[in-house]
Amino acid sequence: MSKDPVNSDWWRQAVIYQVYPRSFADSDGDGIGDLPGVTSRLPHLARLGVDAVWLSPFYPSALADGGYDVADYRDVDPRLGTLDDFDRMVAEADRLGLKVMVDIVPNHTSNDHAWFREALRAGPGDAARERYVFREGRGPGGERPPTDWVSCFGGPAWTRLPDGQWYLHLFAPEQPDLNWDHPEVRADFLTTLRFWSDRGVAGFRVDVAHGLAKDLAEPLRDIGDVPGYEPEDLPEDGSHPLWDRDEVHGIFREWRRVFDEYDPPRIAVAEAWVRNSRRVSYARADELGQAFNFDFLDAPLTAPALHAVIDGALSAAREAGASATWVLSNHDVIRHRSRLALPDDLTGAGRDAWLLADGRDPEIDRALGLRRARAATLLMLALPGSSYLYQGEELGLPEVADLPVDALQDPTWERSGHRVKGRDGCRVPLPWTRTGPSYGFGAGGAWLPQPEWFGELSVEAQDGEPGSTLELYREALRLRRELRGDETVEWLGSVAELSAGLLHFRRSGGWHSVTNLSSAAVPLPAVGEVVLSSGPEAAAGAQLAPYATVWLREAGA
């Protein structure tokens, strides 16, 4: 089958919008977002100007981890709709010129999955248990876990069954890890990839892509004090027993052969928390094709730091034959309007403590956070590659940091012994209207409480409002489509200007992006007319305001 190269490369500089279905739009008033709700709001995304919609898991799930505990990979959770609803959503997206991507969660299933239920019924030694990782315990009577491995959500990564065996779960106990050495596991996921591709899905976001291949040879190895959950903790040679092992790439080369059966080929992007030097392999053309670069999200908002991150990401993408990826927010991190209002040196445990204090220690300047967020967004959207947006960021939504603890759903809260509040604050259902029982999310309430101030950030409140964040996103995506050229970047400005906070680059065709990441105004380079700015105060005469980005177009371009 011949491939259309233009159609096949749509993803290289696409803008992809992440929908967390349970929090996007509720069609039946039960407080939970659903697929008909997504379908009803697709015109908003088409008007926004995105190229594709990526849906977080909508599969049958007990919601032990927000839908990432999947009971059936080839069906829809009845609370969210049916396969017919999914087909109608894809058809409506196609009518509006939008592509659809879905999440695939291959590291673990739900404990409600038919395979795991069969394994529990079968008992120790039965072949049904070989699809997962079951082991005998250590010590007298096997009373201690087989290894010292710890869960990403806190606590041991092993749970003991009444029959005495232990099973592995690198996340919640309700998420038993699959054994990817088992041929039936590999074959079943190929069937799943074809199932959704045949229904018109354009691509897949691969959850925990670096975790599938594990060293399960006996005796299992302890890890010690460095579990490898941070990329810099992982060895360069791929020898960690759980994460980023070289064998994982054989799995994804199998997947690529399935993707290439379609015209255009299906795409994929890896969520791989690995060293930069090893992320390249996931993004190669014979594997997934793209890998998330979270360095941009995690980098301090300074010109030298972002220059280094951007340059490194573009270089790595060229090496892989892929395009770079950029992201500022998603369903797992504090929304960037709030994150960028926090002190620059507050990371990790400090941010957890801020959430635990309901966002009051330290107090943050929301206006400054929005200003910095808008500047960072325009910088991101000017870069070559794929930009991934998270639902609600086009409204400038901050983190809902003061959710009451009795409303929290994230398993991290309980697994951490109430030391880490978790990710619910970025998953609060969206406000569509100024008023109503859930600000237009649905006819009833919402599964997570929405704050009173949500209405004034709603789509209704910002639609057509000059200077609103929603209108900034719409204009930025319109201009991005008009201005973008090839995937090269020409850095401009001196070392001294970079040190002073100025980040200036030129795209082919005469498009310039200039960002001031300092607290003082700096001279605006005289390279053309301003076509877009991150705020009304951004460009005043020949000066570029603090924490502001402008796009300029050369005369005649």
Side-chain angles (χ1 to χ4, degrees), residues 154-441:
W158 297 92
T159 288
R160 196 179 194 190
L161 296 171
D163 60 34
Q165 279 202 319
W166 299 73
Y167 70 88
L168 177 68
H169 53 85
L170 291 176
F171 293 86
E174 297 86 355
Q175 295 169 290
D177 278 48
L178 287 163
N179 172 17
W180 274 85
D181 291 335
H182 197 292
E184 192 173 348
V185 172
R186 292 192 180 220
D188 195 69
F189 271 88
L190 298 182
T191 299
T192 294
L193 296 175
R194 291 188 176 98
F195 178 87
W196 294 110
S197 296
D198 290 343
R199 300 190 97 92
V201 162
F204 302 86
R205 177 262 189 187
V206 185
D207 187 62
V208 196
H210 61 305
L212 309 191
K214 300 174 176 69
D215 180 4
L216 300 176
E218 296 291 349
L220 297 180
R221 290 187 281 151
D222 282 343
I223 294 174
D225 296 332
V226 184
Y229 297 151
E230 298 298 328
E232 60 269 20
D233 293 340
L234 293 173
E236 289 276 9
D237 62 0
S239 61
H240 194 279
L242 302 177
W243 306 111
D244 189 35
R245 294 185 60 79
D246 291 340
E247 296 92 330
V248 78
H249 299 292
I251 296 169
F252 296 136
R253 284 191 287 273
E254 283 187 313
W255 287 24
R256 171 50 57 189
R257 289 192 286 273
V258 171
F259 298 153
D260 287 348
E261 293 171 3
Y262 294 88
D263 187 11
R266 288 355 186 195
I267 70 161
V269 58
E271 182 207 32
W273 292 90
V274 301
R275 288 177 176 269
N276 290 339
S277 59
R278 292 184 59 85
R279 189 186 300 124
V280 171
S281 296
Y282 295 84
R284 293 193 186 281
D286 65 343
E287 292 192 30
L288 296 177
Q290 274 193 336
F292 279 126
N293 169 25
F294 295 115
D295 295 349
F296 186 77
L297 181 154
D298 286 333
L301 199 67
T302 67
L306 285 175
H307 180 278
V309 164
I310 292 167
D311 224 27
L314 293 174
S315 176
R318 285 193 298 271
E319 181 183 346
S323 63
T325 63
W326 314 105
V327 60
L328 284 166
S329 282
N330 62 37
H331 65 294
D332 281 335
V333 299
I334 294 171
R335 285 186 176 274
H336 68 276
R337 175 178 175 175
S338 295
R339 193 176 69 249
L340 295 178
L342 290 167
D344 289 338
D345 60 354
L346 194 69
T347 59
R351 292 175 183 174
D352 289 338
W354 176 77
L355 283 175
L356 203 58
D358 289 345
R360 297 188 178 94
D361 185 17
E363 292 282 355
I364 63 172
D365 183 337
R366 279 194 184 171
L368 176 63
L370 181 59
R371 184 173 182 170
R372 298 180 86 185
R374 287 165 59 122
T377 295
L378 278 201
L379 166 63
M380 177 183 79
L381 291 174
L383 291 166
S386 296
S387 290
Y388 287 80
L389 310 181
Y390 178 54
Q391 65 177 40
E393 70 171 81
E394 77 275 20
L395 306 177
L397 293 185
E399 187 82 359
V400 182
D402 58 352
L403 288 171
V405 295
D406 60 359
L408 298 179
Q409 306 285 323
D410 192 333
T412 302
W413 172 243
E414 294 295 338
R415 294 282 294 175
S416 68
H418 298 176
R419 294 189 302 272
V420 179
K421 201 169 185 181
R423 301 160 291 178
D424 291 318
C426 67
R427 300 176 179 184
V428 175
L430 295 191
W432 294 93
T433 59
R434 278 194 168 96
T435 59
S438 60
Y439 302 104
F441 170 67

